Amino acid sequence: MKLHPILLLYLTTAFIAATVVGTLLHEGGHFMVAEGLGHEAFLHYGFVSFGDRGSVTNDHSFFILLGGVVSTLAIGTTGLILLYVNRRSFANPASSMGVF
């Protein structure tokens, strides 16, 4: 199967954008839980750092860890629900491309 160069460019750009947004949302889950637990947290691309690292207890560390996992699961579940709800528009791909 040969991909048209423009389609390949669109798919590559969409993949890179989705990776960046997904990573930031995942790390945002860690960040929101840490802030909610009263810690001074800093959001970076790919990780969250703490200004008061010594005060993070094992219990808080566990919940902060879960924050990223839960946000990723929520994003994935939302995507699956959207695919399921819109499944009819994918049933006939020719109609969604403007080919009648």
Side-chain angles (χ1 to χ4, degrees), residues 12 59 95 98:
T12 302
D59 291 340
S95 66

Side-chain angles (χ1 to χ4, degrees), residues 60-99:
H60 285 190
S61 183
F62 176 72
F63 288 117
I64 292 169
L65 172 85
L66 280 182
V69 175
V70 170
S71 67
T72 301
L73 286 172
I75 294 164
T77 302
T78 301
L80 284 175
I81 291 170
L82 287 173
L83 284 174
Y84 181 75
V85 167
N86 295 309
R87 69 188 179 279
R88 290 189 181 153
S89 65
F90 296 110
N92 186 4
S95 66
S96 65
M97 289 190 239
V99 179

